[in-house]
Amino acid sequence: MITSSPLIQSLLASRDDVNHNPEVNSFRAKEQECLYLLKRCNNIEEFKQVHAKFIKLSLFSSSPFSASSVLATCAHSGWENSMNYAASIFRGIDDPCTFDYNTMIRGYVNETSFEDALCVYSEMVEEGVEPDNFTYPFVLKACTRLKSVREGKQIHGHVFKLGFEADVFVQNSLINMYGRCGEMTLSSAVFERMESKTAASWSSMVSARAGVGMWSDCLMLFREMCRETGLKAEESGMVSALSACANTGALDLGMSIHAYLLRNISQLNIAVKTSLVDMYAKCGCLDKALRIFKKMESRNSLTYSAMISGLALHGEGEAALRMFSEMIEQGIESDHVVYVSVLNACSHSGLVKEGRRVFEDMLKEGKVEPTAEHYGCLVDLLGRAGLLEEALETIQNMAVEHNDVVWRSFLSSCRVHENVELGKVAARELVKLSSHNPGDYLVISNMYAQAQMWEDVARVRTEMANKGLKQTPGFSIVEVKGKTHRFVSQDRFHPQCKKIYKMLHQMEWQLKFEGYTPDVTQVLLSVDEEEKRERLKGHSLKVALAFALLYTPPGSIIRIARNLRMCSDCHTYTKKISMIYEREIVVRDRNRFHLFKGGTCSCKDYW
């Protein structure tokens, strides 16, 4: 005969007591019934009724599991004002456990109430409730979003003290937090100390670099991950890599990532699709961006913002406004980013009346507080159209504090429209703001040079030198056979230099027959006419164009990216080259695209 151990006998006896105890059975049945109802709640009103039932049956006070379930359902529901109600539930728990604190922290982070999340964590530590490895990813995410690196370092100390420094989820959160707060050395140190780096670890490194605009480093890490580890990147890493492609014009890599996603992921989420829309639009493939956008089953404000921005970059202002109207009709609320995109679209297309109306509607609705960025877009819109007095009045009547971006936009418009007097006003304000941007001094210098005020040019250049400000050279980048080639003005360092300048000479001859005359007013130096013509010949865009014509197949699209705005001479030059050589030429000059085809440009000569 087999006999049970005393422990087994004790457990069996306890079970028999429960099975034969009607009160316990009744309590368990009621609890199960309430928990079932809890799962079926569709809104905060239904939830409150079920919560009341828990309290009436004393389930909330007598069952910690029930109390935690009620709190988690409310905090993670996403219903309107759910976190306010969850906070009242939390205060009603006599002795909240680690799970309850984690629930509140996670709920606040998901609701983007990051300060509240950190306050709950502080209370948790003060009350002596020990955090676990599920606590820290959300707490560190709150620090990341607040850019609170000081608090992040303190929490890193807690992680080390409690022995969670080897937890891969905590490590990934630390990598991301330090990276997005600009502490790249600390971010890399955490990454390097990891014994086993997962796809999420690499994705955290990639995302951290993308978060602070280190696009080249972001792509370098992404390529290293794919080459050396064989790991499949997470969707967050893919999104960051696509953002890097968008901001560097790396179309080939972006297309490779898109192909990888289609092969390996059956259903792409909305964030990935939005990143694809953004990447194709910013890399000059507007048609592909529109195709992906139209096939999306669901879209959010970020998706519409990406598409509207893409249309703006390509000078499709009217199409951008139609897209904005469609978004409103779909019941999607406009946010800060969407309004910036729409106002930029109006600015790039000269839609002054429409831009004013969008800005006025934003003020009337009152849902989005106007920022300096919104005012900067309006100033840019008016300034490009030559309405400089109205632009200045807009700055003077701004509801927010003036910043350098607004005055910089106004200064640029004054230079384009050759209004030195108003340009001096913008220059004085930028100096007052202690501008250390060399670009500001260059625009001021160029404005004086256009007016042939050479003494003022010398004064500005001297001031720039005394402050140790150095000019970033203008450059043009063209990709040929998967390799990127970068050219500066008068570039003589490329291995194919002789062939390039021979090609430039041939292009000059062809252009003469088409009636092209160099616009020497674009050379802002006190030199003779011949010297000006020679300098125009060597502009970086023209050198890159000659190289592309030599080393790309006939009939293929030429894509060039620039770090500075295209001068009007290069614009005319490229229009005629597109006609002579029967090539489509796509040029991105800092903040917009130009599609040259058959002797015309998509910008309609408004840029």
Side-chain angles (χ1 to χ4, degrees):
M1 181 178 177
I2 300 173
T3 58
S4 301
S5 69
L7 178 60
I8 296 296
Q9 289 175 355
S10 173
L11 289 171
L12 288 171
S14 299
R15 186 190 67 182
D16 290 340
D17 288 343
V18 169
N19 288 339
H20 291 94
N21 189 329
E23 290 183 8
V24 172
N25 282 342
S26 175
F27 180 86
R28 294 282 181 253
K30 288 174 182 177
E31 184 177 37
Q32 289 303 314
E33 180 190 352
C34 287
L35 289 170
Y36 173 74
L37 291 172
L38 195 62
K39 291 178 183 178
R40 294 177 64 85
C41 292
N42 294 313
N43 54 56
I44 192 73
E45 296 306 321
E46 290 179 3
F47 172 81
K48 286 178 179 179
Q49 292 175 24
V50 177
H51 180 209
K53 190 166 186 176
F54 270 94
I55 294 171
K56 184 178 179 181
L57 296 173
S58 301
L59 295 171
F60 192 82
S61 57
S62 57
S63 171
F65 178 78
S66 288
S68 295
S69 298
V70 170
L71 178 64
T73 299
C74 186
H76 301 160
S77 66
W79 300 321
E80 189 175 353
N81 296 321
S82 61
M83 279 309 297
N84 290 336
Y85 196 73
S88 67
I89 295 170
F90 181 71
R91 297 301 165 207
I93 298 175
D94 293 333
D95 191 17
C97 62
T98 299
F99 178 85
D100 298 328
Y101 277 102
N102 287 352
T103 296
M104 290 299 293
I105 292 168
R106 179 182 170 186
Y108 279 129
V109 168
N110 289 341
E111 197 190 49
T112 68
S113 298
F114 304 115
E115 293 93 344
D116 291 328
L118 292 181
C119 286
V120 172
Y121 175 73
S122 296
E123 182 185 326
M124 183 183 191
V125 173
E126 288 170 8
E127 292 295 325
V129 178
E130 193 167 287
D132 60 17
N133 58 326
F134 295 105
T135 308
Y136 289 107
F138 287 101
V139 175
L140 289 167
K141 185 176 181 179
C143 293
T144 303
R145 297 299 293 272
L146 293 169
K147 296 288 190 287
S148 300
V149 70
R150 186 171 64 88
E151 287 79 3
K153 287 178 179 178
Q154 291 174 356
I155 290 164
H156 190 179
H158 297 175
V159 166
F160 190 81
K161 184 179 178 182
L162 294 170
F164 296 124
E165 71 275 10
D167 184 276
V168 69
F169 296 105
V170 176
Q171 288 174 321
N172 292 341
S173 299
L174 285 166
I175 290 167
N176 198 45
M177 184 273 292
Y178 281 129
R180 287 182 178 267
C181 290
E183 297 280 356
M184 294 304 165
T185 304
L186 293 173
S187 177
S188 298
V190 175
F191 180 74
E192 293 301 329
R193 281 201 298 268
M194 293 181 73
E195 291 182 8
S196 57
K197 299 176 177 69
T198 64
S201 310
W202 281 94
S203 293
S204 294
M205 284 287 283
V206 171
S207 298
R209 269 58 185 171
V212 292
M214 295 175 65
W215 305 117
S216 297
D217 286 1
C218 176
L219 289 181
M220 183 183 70
L221 279 165
F222 182 77
R223 288 190 177 104
E224 185 181 345
M225 172 187 171
C226 296
R227 184 176 62 249
E228 294 189 7
T229 68
L231 292 169
K232 291 184 178 180
E234 292 187 330
E235 289 187 21
S236 62
M238 291 291 188
V239 167
S240 297
L242 286 169
S243 295
C245 292
N247 284 277
T248 57
L251 177 61
D252 287 348
L253 179 57
M255 292 174 71
S256 298
I257 294 171
H258 187 190
Y260 172 88
L261 288 165
L262 293 175
R263 287 195 307 270
N264 292 279
I265 300 175
S266 57
Q267 186 62 43
L268 301 181
N269 65 32
I270 193 169
V272 173
K273 288 181 180 178
T274 298
S275 296
L276 286 167
V277 168
D278 187 52
M279 184 274 292
Y280 279 119
K282 287 182 177 176
C283 287
C285 299
L286 186 61
D287 289 343
K288 284 187 178 180
L290 280 165
R291 278 201 297 274
I292 294 169
F293 178 85
K294 287 175 181 176
K295 287 180 181 178
M296 291 177 70
E297 294 176 2
S298 62
R299 307 177 186 115
N300 57 22
S301 63
L302 289 175
T303 313
Y304 274 99
S305 178
M307 196 65 254
I308 291 168
S309 293
L311 290 165
L313 279 170
H314 291 264
E316 298 287 345
E318 292 178 355
L321 286 172
R322 287 195 296 273
M323 188 71 70
F324 180 57
S325 297
E326 178 190 311
M327 187 190 92
I328 301 301
E329 288 170 10
Q330 294 292 325
I332 299 172
E333 285 196 2
S334 304
D335 60 12
H336 163 89
V337 179
V338 172
Y339 275 115
V340 168
S341 301
V342 176
L343 289 168
N344 271 329
C346 294
S347 179
H348 289 314
S349 299
L351 301 173
V352 178
K353 181 181 175 183
E354 293 83 352
R356 283 198 194 106
R357 178 177 53 78
V358 169
F359 191 84
E360 287 166 6
D361 288 347
M362 181 184 75
L363 295 179
K364 284 177 185 175
E365 287 177 10
K367 293 179 181 177
V368 175
E369 285 291 322
T371 65
E373 192 173 7
H374 294 119
Y375 280 104
C377 292
L378 183 60
V379 168
D380 187 56
L381 168 72
L382 298 168
R384 283 174 188 265
L387 302 171
L388 297 178
E389 296 288 352
E390 188 179 344
L392 181 58
E393 187 180 339
T394 299
I395 296 173
Q396 291 168 340
N397 295 327
M398 278 172 59
V400 295
E401 190 176 350
H402 304 162
N403 67 2
D404 58 337
V405 175
V406 175
W407 285 114
R408 190 171 294 127
S409 177
F410 183 62
L411 174 63
S412 181
S413 296
C414 291
R415 186 191 72 79
V416 169
H417 294 286
E418 300 182 16
N419 191 321
V420 176
E421 290 308 309
L422 289 181
K424 286 179 178 179
V425 174
R428 280 197 300 270
E429 293 298 328
L430 280 169
V431 171
K432 278 183 192 175
L433 291 167
S434 302
S435 172
H436 292 285
N437 184 340
D440 295 339
Y441 289 89
L442 288 173
V443 174
I444 296 167
S445 170
N446 290 342
M447 178 182 69
Y448 287 136
Q450 276 181 320
Q452 297 189 345
M453 299 167 65
W454 301 114
E455 288 184 7
D456 290 295
V457 171
R459 176 178 55 77
V460 172
R461 292 278 182 172
T462 301
E463 187 178 348
M464 189 175 169
N466 291 339
K467 290 185 176 181
L469 301 176
K470 293 184 179 179
Q471 175 183 357
T472 302
F475 60 81
S476 298
I477 295 173
V478 62
E479 191 174 350
V480 175
K481 295 178 182 178
K483 187 178 178 183
T484 299
H485 300 264
R486 174 172 163 164
F487 299 93
V488 295
S489 186
Q490 320 302 323
D491 201 318
R492 299 278 178 177
F493 297 101
H494 195 277
Q496 305 302 325
C497 178
K498 287 184 179 179
K499 289 183 179 180
I500 291 170
Y501 277 88
K502 185 178 179 181
M503 183 65 186
L504 276 170
H505 186 65
Q506 291 177 16
M507 291 159 69
E508 289 282 336
W509 271 104
Q510 294 268 33
L511 285 162
K512 282 181 182 178
F513 291 114
E514 294 299 331
Y516 164 75
T517 303
D519 182 3
V520 294
T521 63
Q522 298 300 302
V523 179
L524 303 175
L525 296 170
S526 183
V527 294
D528 61 35
E529 296 293 301
E530 186 59 35
E531 173 69 14
K532 287 181 179 180
R533 278 193 289 272
E534 284 301 314
R535 284 182 175 272
L536 278 176
K537 285 181 186 178
H539 274 195
S540 67
L541 175 63
K542 296 175 183 178
V543 179
L545 199 48
F547 178 79
L549 288 169
L550 279 170
Y551 294 102
T552 57
S556 63
I557 298 175
I558 296 172
R559 300 182 188 278
I560 298 173
R562 292 174 47 77
N563 68 327
L564 298 177
R565 182 180 178 275
M566 192 188 316
C567 76
S568 61
D569 179 72
C570 284
H571 194 265
T572 303
Y573 185 101
T574 310
K575 281 198 296 184
K576 291 191 178 294
I577 290 293
S578 73
M579 178 182 63
I580 293 166
Y581 290 89
E582 298 180 349
R583 300 285 285 271
E584 284 189 30
I585 303 166
V586 179
V587 179
R588 181 175 180 180
D589 69 342
R590 192 169 57 186
N591 58 6
R592 73 165 299 154
F593 277 97
H594 299 262
L595 170 58
F596 298 93
K597 185 179 180 181
T600 63
C601 179
S602 60
C603 76
K604 303 177 183 66
D605 297 338
Y606 187 91
W607 86 101

